[in-house]
Amino acid sequence: MSKYTWEQKKALLDDPYITQGTKNALIFGGDAAYEKAIAERDSNAAADKKQKTAVEKADKDLDAMARPAAGGSTTKSDQVLDLGNPALDFFSDWIEQVWNKMPDKPSDLNYKTDIWDRFHENREINFQAMFDEVEDLTDAKKTVEQTGTDATSALTTLFHDWKGEGATAAKVKYEQRIQPDAKELVAQMDGAIKLVPATIDKIYTALKLKVDETLKLRVDKVATAPLFTAKQVVEIANGKVDSKDKLMDVA
């Protein structure tokens, strides 16, 4: 008596990764036929399964990724974009093995230029280098502020003892030209110090969204067929059929 139930066998008869010849043998065969069908399914589905696992891992890693911060672990845009590569592999497989081999396709697709290069156009953005510049700018701002404080203190003492038209003219120039310009410089530096981290955060959010949406595009089937079946459909479309079983594999 077989150790496998009819329900188990029926599930394999509906599996697109098993060829029709193996399915025919399964209907009337024993345990050996069942185990052969299982082995064929696992072999034919291995690449898709591996790719799906890689996409699921990338999705989890993306969720766990820390937002860029000074001294943080996310230092470059490449770290975010690389998580989308498993989905890009999916596009590559379908482009090279299905789309570009269809006899009636409108035109070939170039995976490198049409997919890869466009997706990775935001590489080499160095978040940490930008944070380092913010730190340098913060130090410079403190220096400018301290210089302004020291200058004001020194000139206050000077103008207390220096009297006359020259002193008045110098005091007016300092208060109306030099001091406002120094305050404007500090304000501009302060604005940049706040703007750069906010910009980094916006860039990171956009990159993460792009990767997230790309990962979602990886699916088990396209137009109800896995890649294994789609490649057979293309072979039929190109007239590369030498048996009825090959037609039945995709029927």
Side-chain angles (χ1 to χ4, degrees), residues 45 57 61 72 77 162 171 173 217 225:
K57 181 181 184 303
D61 290 344
S77 61
W162 182 25
K171 187 173 185 295
K173 184 173 183 180
L217 293 176

Side-chain angles (χ1 to χ4, degrees), residues 192-250:
I193 290 168
K194 295 176 181 177
L195 177 63
V196 173
T199 301
I200 293 173
D201 193 70
K202 293 292 185 183
I203 293 172
Y204 170 77
T205 299
L207 293 176
K208 186 175 181 180
L209 178 62
K210 178 164 75 168
V211 173
D212 183 56
E213 293 299 320
T214 301
L215 290 174
K216 289 177 182 176
L217 293 176
R218 191 274 164 195
V219 292
D220 293 331
K221 299 178 181 179
V222 175
T224 75
L227 180 62
F228 176 72
T229 303
K231 290 190 294 183
Q232 296 175 76
V233 172
V234 171
E235 287 186 354
I236 293 172
N238 285 312
K240 298 178 180 179
V241 182
D242 55 14
S243 72
K244 180 181 177 181
D245 279 350
K246 282 193 173 182
L247 291 173
M248 293 303 298
D249 286 341
V250 298

Side-chain angles (χ1 to χ4, degrees), residues 7-8 16 19 42 65 72 80 84 86 90 101 148 163 171 196 222 229 244:
E7 286 72 21
Q8 288 176 301
T19 61
D42 291 346
M65 179 172 279
V80 187
F90 167 76
K101 291 186 178 181
K163 303 298 182 182
K171 187 173 185 295
V196 173
V222 175
T229 303
K244 180 181 177 181

Side-chain angles (χ1 to χ4, degrees), residues 27-251:
I27 295 174
F28 302 104
D31 291 350
Y34 180 87
E35 289 163 3
K36 179 183 177 182
I38 288 288
E40 183 176 287
R41 179 202 64 187
D42 291 346
S43 176
N44 291 335
D48 285 352
K49 184 177 180 180
K50 181 179 179 181
Q51 190 180 81
K52 181 178 181 180
T53 299
V55 168
E56 291 173 346
K57 181 181 184 303
D59 190 50
K60 291 179 180 179
D61 290 344
L62 183 66
D63 289 340
M65 179 172 279
R67 303 189 79 84
S73 58
T74 304
T75 60
K76 290 186 177 181
S77 61
D78 298 18
Q79 293 171 257
V80 187
L81 293 171
D82 285 344
L83 292 177
N85 288 346
L88 299 189
D89 291 339
F90 167 76
F91 301 145
S92 174
D93 290 341
W94 278 84
I95 288 172
E96 298 300 332
Q97 300 179 46
V98 179
W99 177 268
N100 285 348
K101 291 186 178 181
M102 292 193 301
D104 58 347
K105 62 184 178 299
S107 62
D108 280 351
L109 290 176
N110 186 312
Y111 168 71
K112 179 67 169 59
T113 58
D114 295 336
I115 305 295
W116 181 272
D117 288 347
R118 289 190 180 186
F119 181 84
H120 283 286
E121 62 185 356
N122 306 116
R123 294 187 74 81
E124 301 300 327
I125 299 175
N126 193 323
F127 299 134
Q128 186 56 53
M130 296 169 74
F131 280 117
D132 290 343
E133 291 178 1
V134 169
E135 184 176 350
D136 292 342
L137 192 57
T138 301
D139 291 340
K141 177 194 167 192
K142 291 177 180 178
T143 299
V144 172
E145 288 176 325
Q146 187 60 51
T147 299
T149 299
D150 293 344
T152 299
S153 177
L155 289 173
T156 298
T157 300
L158 174 64
F159 292 138
H160 181 270
D161 298 323
W162 182 25
K163 303 298 182 182
E165 294 183 0
T168 301
K171 187 173 185 295
V172 170
K173 184 173 183 180
Y174 175 74
E175 292 177 348
Q176 295 184 355
R177 296 286 303 277
I178 299 176
Q179 197 172 45
D181 287 348
K183 289 181 179 180
E184 177 64 20
L185 175 59
V186 170
Q188 293 290 341
M189 296 171 80
D190 188 58
I193 290 168
K194 295 176 181 177
L195 177 63
V196 173
T199 301
I200 293 173
D201 193 70
K202 293 292 185 183
I203 293 172
Y204 170 77
T205 299
L207 293 176
K208 186 175 181 180
L209 178 62
K210 178 164 75 168
V211 173
D212 183 56
E213 293 299 320
T214 301
L215 290 174
K216 289 177 182 176
L217 293 176
R218 191 274 164 195
V219 292
D220 293 331
K221 299 178 181 179
V222 175
T224 75
L227 180 62
F228 176 72
T229 303
K231 290 190 294 183
Q232 296 175 76
V233 172
V234 171
E235 287 186 354
I236 293 172
N238 285 312
K240 298 178 180 179
V241 182
D242 55 14
S243 72
K244 180 181 177 181
D245 279 350
K246 282 193 173 182
L247 291 173
M248 293 303 298
D249 286 341
V250 298

